[in-house]
Amino acid sequence: EKMALFLVARRQKTSIFLEHNSSDKVLKAVELIAEFCKKNPDDVALFYNGKRLNDDKSFADNGVKHDSDAVVNPITVNFVYKKDGTDAFEEPSADPYQGSDSAEVAAQ
């Protein structure tokens, strides 16, 4: 069943707000983030609770969901880039969320 997911993708001081269905493939979000950040989608990965998400699977299949049916806060995922010249991704890191210190976009 389709369920709306409200996500905030974070990296350092950047927060990107996304809305997806639980049945959407993670790749859809990766492509939007890559476009916004002017990166190649192959150089972007998403993490949820410290675990890298499989681009070819849906958010639901990756276990990404709101804690309850009442959507109060967006789900935080971290996005990372490949380290220059390698196939290895950087470690997920984000500064404490300030709400106004970052470029924020809403994308679907």
Side-chain angles (χ1 to χ4, degrees):
E1 118 192 29
K2 278 189 179 183
M3 190 172 130
L5 295 177
F6 300 96
L7 308 167
V8 57
R10 310 237 20 250
R11 180 181 179 271
Q12 297 172 358
K13 292 186 183 307
T14 303
S15 298
I16 303 171
F17 290 89
L18 303 163
E19 182 178 344
H20 285 285
N21 285 314
S22 56
S23 58
D24 288 345
K25 285 192 176 181
V26 170
L27 182 60
K28 194 171 172 184
V30 167
E31 289 172 342
L32 286 167
I33 292 166
E35 183 179 350
F36 178 75
C37 297
K38 298 179 175 40
K39 292 278 184 182
N40 184 317
D42 291 340
D43 294 337
V44 176
L46 280 184
F47 282 75
Y48 175 65
N49 287 342
K51 180 174 173 277
R52 184 170 172 197
L53 300 181
N54 183 328
D55 290 354
D56 296 325
K57 291 187 175 179
S58 70
F59 284 98
D61 290 342
N62 274 289
V64 178
K65 61 185 194 295
H66 285 282
D67 291 336
S68 68
D69 291 339
V71 177
V72 180
N73 295 313
I75 299 165
T76 299
V77 294
N78 295 96
F79 66 98
V80 297
Y81 299 148
K82 275 189 183 169
K83 295 177 186 172
D84 288 340
T86 72
D87 279 339
F89 285 97
E90 62 194 11
E91 288 295 310
S93 72
D95 293 344
Y97 182 56
Q98 300 297 319
S100 63
D101 68 349
S102 56
E104 298 178 3
V105 297
Q108 319 211 66

